[in-house]
Amino acid sequence: MQAYANGEAAAFEQLYGRHRQRLYRFLVAQLRDPALADEVFQDVWQRVIGARASWSPEGDFASWLYRIARNRLADHWRARQHRPSPPEDAEERLAHMTDGQTPERSLSEFERRRQLQLALDDLPPEQREVILLRLDQELSLEEIGEVTGVGRETAKSRLRYAMEKLRARLTP
């Protein structure tokens, strides 16, 4: 840990490789839930990384690591005690809730983005450049003219033609 604290990234890899399996088994045995153990495991290592700058070798690294893990477990159990139990009709309530992010909706949004990308790809390069500078980079017509080396009016007409082509292509 001292080497890692001194800036040697490879030292962290050695620490992690040496302690990860035993620490993970300890957490799974304590929590009896692999998903929760994964979360706590990541949190413990994040705390090790966060303590890098303030590390002072007061004892064995393994003891310090497991002390962090035990403290994190204590935090988990304490929070769980103070968490109210779910209402008796929680399952029924969940069954009636609508999920706005359905696979169909995700596919529809993906398809719209794909159609837009295809439409942008079909534009002439100078029109695609102008529309991307306007929409993605939010540049003014004057700034677009400066970037592309054309006048404001030329940039404006390229933008207008590009928008017309996109509308025609994307309007059902």
Side-chain angles (χ1 to χ4, degrees):
M1 183 63 183
Q2 189 62 51
Y4 176 58
N6 291 336
E8 294 179 34
F12 178 79
E13 292 174 19
Q14 288 178 340
L15 286 171
Y16 183 77
R18 189 176 303 150
H19 297 282
R20 69 187 169 107
Q21 289 179 340
R22 288 191 329 234
L23 176 63
Y24 184 74
R25 283 195 306 265
F26 170 74
L27 293 171
V28 169
Q30 293 293 321
L31 295 166
R32 301 188 197 298
D33 178 352
L36 185 55
D38 287 344
E39 183 181 322
V40 174
F41 179 81
Q42 292 298 321
D43 189 44
V44 169
W45 286 106
Q46 286 292 343
R47 291 174 191 230
V48 169
I49 291 167
R52 173 183 178 180
S54 62
W55 164 257
S56 61
E58 297 171 358
D60 182 47
F61 173 79
S63 300
W64 180 70
L65 178 68
Y66 283 90
R67 197 166 42 251
I68 292 172
R70 286 189 71 238
N71 288 341
R72 181 59 183 88
L73 286 168
D75 292 345
H76 165 75
W77 295 123
R78 194 171 21 260
R80 196 162 176 211
Q81 284 177 345
H82 296 298
R83 188 175 303 145
S85 58
E88 290 184 23
D89 63 342
E91 292 294 325
E92 185 179 328
R93 288 183 186 185
L94 282 174
H96 293 300
M97 291 179 70
T98 58
D99 182 10
Q101 195 61 22
T102 63
E104 294 82 12
R105 186 174 191 169
S106 295
L107 182 61
S108 175
E109 289 173 15
F110 172 78
E111 186 60 29
R112 279 197 307 271
R113 285 192 306 273
R114 190 174 82 73
Q115 289 298 327
L116 176 60
Q117 188 59 54
L118 290 172
L120 285 169
D121 290 345
D122 284 346
L123 291 175
E126 62 277 355
Q127 290 177 7
R128 182 175 48 250
E129 178 182 41
V130 168
I131 202 158
L132 292 174
L133 288 171
R134 179 71 182 125
L135 298 178
D136 286 348
Q137 304 304 316
E138 299 180 358
L139 297 182
S140 68
L141 290 172
E142 292 79 13
E143 293 169 322
I144 292 171
E146 287 179 34
V147 169
T148 59
V150 298
R152 179 188 188 283
E153 291 304 312
T154 302
K156 183 177 177 180
S157 67
R158 287 180 182 174
L159 182 61
R160 188 186 60 197
Y161 289 130
M163 291 299 291
E164 288 173 2
K165 288 178 183 177
L166 288 177
R167 278 190 200 102
R169 173 99 187 252
L170 298 173
T171 303

